[in-house]
Amino acid sequence: MLDAIVSRLNAQVPELSNRAKPVADLVEMIRSNRLPQNATATVSPAGLKGGKAEAGTGAFTQALARAYSVLLIAPSQSKTGAKALEEVDPLITSVASALAGWAPEAGPGVFQVDRGRLLSITGGRLLYELVFSINTELRVTS
């Protein structure tokens, strides 16, 4: 699923210029103390929430909501959160528009926006997290 999300962001969000990556790339950026100069997105799993479960003879099904985080790293020269968010708002909107209502494969759900939040403004970079979820289903047969 991560690769599908990364591909979708690279194809649909021109501001990222093919700089959407899986989370492993972010780990290396932080380790080497080199945050990108241009707008970048990293995608990671953000959890799983179980829904209603049903058990029958030889079968178990449960609704699941799988969440994914898109961490946006964007340049910002602003010293205040309000001004920085104003600068990055078009990117946030583009990312949300690229994923909301889309599903990488046929299934019971499409991505929806769960939340977004400012994480940090430091060193001329703004870090903003968007979390999306998609409804899926777990099926276990015995």
Side-chain angles (χ1 to χ4, degrees):
M1 186 79 72
L2 289 178
D3 289 338
I5 296 169
V6 167
S7 294
R8 176 76 175 187
L9 291 173
N10 282 326
Q12 298 289 316
V13 183
E15 298 94 328
L16 292 175
S17 297
N18 290 315
R19 287 187 301 272
K21 308 283 183 197
V23 72
D25 288 18
L26 175 64
V27 172
E28 181 54 35
M29 283 185 258
I30 291 170
R31 190 174 316 164
S32 64
N33 200 23
R34 291 183 320 203
L35 289 178
Q37 297 295 317
N38 300 311
T40 303
T42 60
V43 181
S44 63
L48 178 69
K49 182 177 180 185
K52 185 177 179 194
E54 295 183 19
T57 305
F60 173 86
T61 60
Q62 183 176 12
L64 299 176
R66 294 186 180 273
Y68 295 88
S69 170
V70 177
L71 177 64
L72 301 175
I73 302 169
S76 176
Q77 301 309 314
S78 175
K79 302 292 186 220
T80 67
K83 181 68 173 163
L85 282 173
E86 196 175 292
E87 293 171 353
V88 79
D89 189 59
L91 177 59
I92 293 167
T93 300
S94 291
V95 169
S97 297
L99 295 181
W102 170 75
E105 53 196 41
V110 296
F111 278 106
Q112 62 186 27
V113 179
D114 285 346
R115 66 186 174 276
R117 64 186 176 138
L118 177 64
L119 297 177
S120 160
I121 303 172
T122 184
R125 305 291 180 289
L126 177 141
L127 280 70
Y128 190 91
E129 179 189 39
L130 284 164
V131 178
F132 298 86
S133 66
I134 188 167
N135 293 325
T136 62
E137 187 174 76
L138 173 66
R139 292 176 187 254
V140 179
T141 57
S142 53

